[in-house]
Amino acid sequence: MFDELLGNEQLKETFVRLTKSGRIPHSALFVGRSGIGKKLFALEIAKYFACKTPVEFASCGNCTSCIRGSNFIYPRFDDKDSHKKVIFSEHPDIGTVIPYRNNILVDSIRDLEKEANYRPYEANARCFIIDDADRLNDAASNALLKTLEEPAGTTYIFLIASNPNSLLPTIRSRCQMFRFSPLQPEMIEELLFEKMERSSEDAKFLSKISNGSIGGAVNADADWLSRRAEFLLSLLENITFNRDFLTILQTAEELNDVKDKDQYELSLKVLQTIIHDILLLKTSKEGGEIVNDHFSDRLEILAAKVDILTLARWQSEVDLLRKNLRFNLNRKIAADALFLKMAG
């Protein structure tokens, strides 16, 4: 069933065992960092219920039902009306709910509640995947509770979340939770080099900077990430040695010029890898396995200058900004405040 998916071997065995015994939970919560395959696991289970020719309690992957179940056409990000409904794949019994901007709309959950009460059209069960379930607001969460409390016997709901603590405790208590682990860098590097035909240098760099996220590594632009790392490394050098506040604010302005919020957040992730590299060089005798090893000389100079408490404070401040990105904050003001705090 999961032969094409990387990592999480123990969970694969668990799901196969549950499938064979007919004990797949009707309400399941898949948790773990973004891009490690949680949604793909849920989709594989959904395809099993839809498959016309299952093989040893697994979807065949080749029949028309399996192929149709994998094909989704997602709406434009600014099409609010389309986000108010369950988005179905080409198979009428496999659907998903996705956020509109920063939140999952209550209308989409109400539509899911309606659809979840229908019997399957073609498959043995209807399956619904709530992507980024940690973006359920209070209204959407409360609307979901009834469906989770009394699921139809032929309905399965999979919640996908990176931050399960953002979910209402009543939602977590009604779901069986499965924790997914990040992928090993060597596994990601092999995939990028062997199947994605990335250069060995790019594959190695992306496998480390992706932090265990295969989705993040596959979709990443290695050249852009390298340029962004140098740009942010220069910022830390300025904060440490020059304290040129005009340049620091100009850096915040450039950070805010990125195309979208996802790229803005990616810049913050890159900044955290640089800070972590400095911390590794400072605390490990061998220097550890740093991500940005092409800047090792400059990182070592910073490691000799910046103390551990300052590095920990920097990480905490970047963490806080990343958490607050789910709200509609002014990114320019937030970046200004972050860098000035780091310089302070």
Side-chain angles (χ1 to χ4, degrees):
M1 182 185 290
F2 307 104
D3 291 345
E4 298 299 318
L5 302 182
L6 296 179
N8 288 286
E9 298 302 324
Q10 288 187 334
L11 279 180
K12 289 179 183 178
E13 294 175 6
T14 298
F15 289 131
V16 169
R17 187 169 61 252
L18 290 173
T19 302
K20 288 181 177 180
S21 62
R23 294 169 52 211
I24 293 289
H26 287 270
S27 302
L29 174 58
F30 290 3
V31 303
R33 66 184 53 163
S34 297
I36 58 176
K38 303 185 298 296
K39 185 177 179 179
L40 292 177
F41 270 76
L43 186 57
E44 281 300 311
I45 296 171
K47 285 161 57 179
Y48 161 71
F49 286 114
C51 184
K52 297 296 184 184
T53 55
V55 180
E56 295 183 355
F57 297 94
S59 61
C60 69
N62 298 315
C63 70
T64 56
S65 292
C66 287
I67 294 171
R68 289 159 57 212
S70 298
N71 294 333
F72 287 85
I73 298 177
Y74 294 99
R76 285 174 49 88
F77 74 94
D78 57 353
D79 183 355
K80 186 174 183 178
D81 287 340
S82 294
H83 287 78
K84 292 180 178 180
K85 295 182 177 294
V86 174
I87 300 164
F88 282 95
S89 68
E90 293 178 3
H91 194 291
D93 294 316
I94 300 177
T96 186
V97 169
I98 61 175
Y100 173 72
R101 302 194 187 278
N102 290 326
N103 293 294
I104 292 176
L105 302 176
V106 64
D107 301 273
S108 65
I109 299 300
R110 288 172 179 156
D111 189 50
L112 185 151
E113 181 182 10
K114 179 190 71 176
E115 294 286 350
N117 286 318
Y118 294 152
R119 292 190 60 79
Y121 291 100
E122 300 177 17
N124 294 318
R126 304 201 87 194
C127 294
F128 301 94
I129 301 169
I130 303 178
D131 204 8
D132 291 325
D134 34 11
R135 297 191 184 186
L136 286 160
N137 58 26
D138 288 344
S141 297
N142 289 324
L144 179 62
L145 280 174
K146 183 178 179 182
T147 305
L148 296 179
E149 285 173 354
E150 303 171 0
T154 54
T155 294
Y156 294 84
I157 299 174
F158 302 94
L159 284 72
I160 312 300
S162 300
N163 183 17
N165 290 331
S166 296
L167 293 166
L168 291 179
T170 45
I171 286 182
R172 296 199 303 269
S173 67
R174 285 163 174 76
C175 298
Q176 185 169 341
M177 185 182 296
F178 298 91
R179 294 190 177 277
F180 287 71
S181 301
L183 276 65
Q184 294 299 315
E186 297 79 14
M187 194 177 292
I188 297 175
E189 181 179 355
E190 181 180 355
L191 174 77
L192 293 173
F193 182 69
E194 298 288 343
K195 295 187 177 180
M196 308 299 295
E197 298 184 348
R198 299 287 190 115
S199 70
S200 58
E201 293 81 7
D202 284 354
K204 184 176 183 180
F205 173 57
L206 292 173
S207 70
K208 290 191 290 184
I209 204 168
S210 64
N211 200 23
S213 168
I214 184 63
V218 168
N219 296 316
D221 181 338
D223 291 337
W224 184 89
L225 286 171
S226 182
R227 292 194 303 272
R228 181 61 39 166
E230 183 168 19
F231 169 74
L232 293 169
L233 177 58
S234 297
L235 165 71
L236 294 183
E237 290 170 335
N238 185 9
I239 287 173
T240 303
F241 299 111
N242 303 324
R243 296 175 61 80
D244 181 346
F245 288 97
L246 177 60
T247 302
I248 290 171
L249 292 175
Q250 288 173 340
T251 302
E253 184 72 38
E254 284 192 51
L255 182 66
N256 196 49
D257 282 343
V258 296
K259 295 178 182 177
D260 54 40
K261 192 189 82 172
D262 289 340
Q263 207 170 38
Y264 180 95
E265 184 176 10
L266 184 56
S267 294
L268 296 178
K269 289 181 181 179
V270 173
L271 178 58
Q272 287 190 303
T273 67
I274 297 170
I275 297 170
H276 186 258
D277 284 347
I278 298 169
L279 188 61
L280 272 180
L281 290 169
K282 192 170 189 69
T283 58
S284 173
K285 293 180 180 179
E286 293 79 21
E289 183 69 15
I290 64 173
V291 172
N292 302 279
D293 51 9
H294 42 308
F295 301 124
S296 58
D297 291 344
R298 294 167 65 182
L299 291 168
E300 286 174 359
I301 293 172
L302 281 168
K305 179 68 175 178
V306 186
D307 62 77
I308 292 177
L309 289 178
T310 298
L311 292 170
R313 178 173 60 83
W314 287 355
Q315 284 285 37
S316 297
E317 287 165 353
V318 180
D319 263 336
L320 180 60
L321 175 52
R322 287 183 60 191
K323 289 177 182 176
N324 288 337
L325 284 179
R326 65 176 301 181
F327 306 109
N328 291 321
L329 79 171
N330 184 307
R331 290 185 290 164
K332 170 63 171 64
I333 294 175
D336 286 349
L338 170 68
F339 295 154
L340 289 175
K341 282 181 182 177
M342 291 175 67

